[in-house]
Amino acid sequence: MTSMPAEERIGSHLKRAEQALLAAKNTACKPAAVTVPQYAALLWLAEKPGISAAALSRLCGVTPPTMNTVLKNLQERGLVERTAHEWHGNVLETRLTVEGRAVMELADAGAVRVERALAAEFTDEERERLVELLGRCTRVLGALK
């Protein structure tokens, strides 16, 4: 078995960047009193009202049971409403409430500040290249499953 020093492992660098991003977004979402997973769900629900929990879990990158917990907590706070689908009674459609939209917008303002601060560290060309390189990482790692 060949060893590889931690500083040479791309995965270690990706993980540190992800942890720093999550910490910054958690701080940014605090005024809205939501977690990053809750914010992500609210953001996608604003764009795709009526989406199922299963589809939402895929978009947010969490498991369906985790998404069900996130949605249950959001529903208990009155931020989302879940109703039976018109034709598929066993499928629940999820939509933002008026309060849910306001909370999403507050959290999004903080998240956008984080994204803009991050983007400002790179030139346009560097940002495009970084997105391209991260996409390549995703494809390679996805193929290893």
Side-chain angles (χ1 to χ4, degrees), residues 39-59:
Y39 157 67
L42 293 172
L43 184 65
W44 279 109
L45 285 168
E47 287 193 21
K48 298 181 177 291
I51 191 171
S52 71
L56 190 57
S57 70
R58 287 188 293 276
L59 288 171

Side-chain angles (χ1 to χ4, degrees), residues 22-71:
L22 285 175
K25 283 199 175 177
N26 269 320
T27 299
C29 288
K30 270 198 191 333
V34 292
T35 64
V36 172
Q38 289 172 335
Y39 157 67
L42 293 172
L43 184 65
W44 279 109
L45 285 168
E47 287 193 21
K48 298 181 177 291
I51 191 171
S52 71
L56 190 57
S57 70
R58 287 188 293 276
L59 288 171
C60 293
V62 298
T63 64
T66 297
M67 183 51 64
N68 281 326
T69 300
V70 166
L71 291 175

Side-chain angles (χ1 to χ4, degrees), residues 18 39-40 42-43 51 65 72 127 130 139:
E18 178 193 32
Y39 157 67
L42 293 172
L43 184 65
I51 191 171
K72 180 176 175 269
R127 277 192 306 277
L130 179 58
R139 284 189 303 280

Side-chain angles (χ1 to χ4, degrees), residues 1 5 10-12 14 19 24 26 28 48 51 66 76 79 83 86 99 111 113 125 129 134 136 138:
M1 180 170 112
I10 294 172
S12 294
L14 287 171
Q19 288 172 327
N26 269 320
K48 298 181 177 291
I51 191 171
T66 297
E76 287 172 358
L79 303 180
T83 55
E86 186 177 343
E99 185 180 351
R113 281 192 300 275
E125 295 80 21
R129 184 73 174 140
L134 290 170
R136 192 182 317 165
T138 301

Side-chain angles (χ1 to χ4, degrees), residues 105-128:
E105 289 173 357
L106 179 60
D108 194 44
V112 166
R113 281 192 300 275
V114 170
E115 291 287 349
R116 286 191 175 136
L118 181 58
E121 287 297 309
F122 302 95
T123 66
D124 290 346
E125 295 80 21
E126 287 173 331
R127 277 192 306 277
E128 287 175 20

